[in-house]
Amino acid sequence: MKNIEFKNTHPDHKLSLFQKLANKIADASGYKSELKTDESLSQILRLRVAQRIVYCLLEKQK
């Protein structure tokens, strides 16, 4: 078990077109947040928020 390696195959979210669009919307609306947490924790928090938004949208469509 000690010889297991983890290879991160996820794309860098900072380079995505969606992230660039989200940044433009945040700039235009005047909403910016600076998370004062570890970068990995910040990514997890953003993912959980995004998952919740999608869940709410799907529930609303029922």
Side-chain angles (χ1 to χ4, degrees), residues 12-56:
D12 187 353
H13 73 280
K14 294 174 186 171
L15 302 176
S16 74
L17 294 175
F18 176 77
Q19 185 64 42
K20 291 176 184 175
L21 177 61
N23 288 343
K24 286 182 182 181
I25 292 170
D27 289 340
S29 65
Y31 178 77
K32 285 288 209 174
S33 67
E34 294 294 326
L35 297 176
K36 308 241 186 301
T37 62
D38 178 69
E39 185 175 339
S40 296
L41 178 59
S42 298
Q43 289 178 352
I44 293 169
L45 292 171
R46 288 183 186 105
L47 175 63
R48 293 297 295 145
V49 169
Q51 288 172 334
R52 181 69 181 160
I53 290 170
V54 170
Y55 172 79
C56 291

Side-chain angles (χ1 to χ4, degrees), residues 1-7:
M1 293 293 282
K2 293 182 181 182
N3 296 333
I4 296 174
E5 287 187 35
F6 174 76
K7 182 177 178 184

